[in-house]
Amino acid sequence: MKAIWNDQVIAESDETIVVENNHYFPKESVKTEYLRPSPAHTTCIWKGKASYHTLEVDGKENLDAAWFYPDPSPAAAQIKGYIAFWKGVKVTG
């Protein structure tokens, strides 16, 4: 699987985990040079508190387009250390 935004591959892995139709990429498969920390947080009733990254690629920003669960609930423990994408990021196989 690949995550692509602004014509750049942001992440690539054969070992994504699919939860609620979202592919979660292992952190080591994500090109962290494109990630900027975001102060945003949301809470999922069963996964826990999500944190976000803004994507920055070739001078363009995609606010809060990557999310992860730094300390997921036991029900979502399998996605600890994984990052998912949305907001126009194309995830393709």
Side-chain angles (χ1 to χ4, degrees):
M1 297 301 298
K2 290 182 182 180
I4 301 167
W5 185 72
N6 199 26
D7 297 322
Q8 293 293 327
V9 176
I10 307 299
E12 185 171 5
S13 178
D14 292 330
E15 298 178 11
T16 62
I17 296 174
V18 179
V19 177
E20 297 180 330
N21 295 317
N22 294 302
H23 282 268
Y24 285 76
F25 289 78
K27 188 174 182 177
E28 61 272 8
S29 72
V30 178
K31 295 181 180 176
T32 57
E33 64 266 26
Y34 296 132
L35 302 180
R36 300 290 174 265
S38 169
H41 295 283
T42 57
T43 301
C44 171
I45 195 163
W46 75 272
K47 291 187 295 273
K49 185 177 180 180
S51 295
Y52 290 80
H53 290 294
T54 292
L55 295 180
E56 188 177 308
V57 178
D58 296 332
K60 292 187 179 180
E61 284 189 345
N62 191 344
L63 190 64
D64 302 335
W67 79 91
F68 63 101
Y69 291 86
D71 189 23
S73 70
Q78 74 273 19
I79 59 172
K80 185 173 179 74
Y82 284 69
I83 299 175
F85 302 93
W86 66 327
K87 294 191 173 183
V89 177
K90 183 178 179 182
V91 177
T92 184

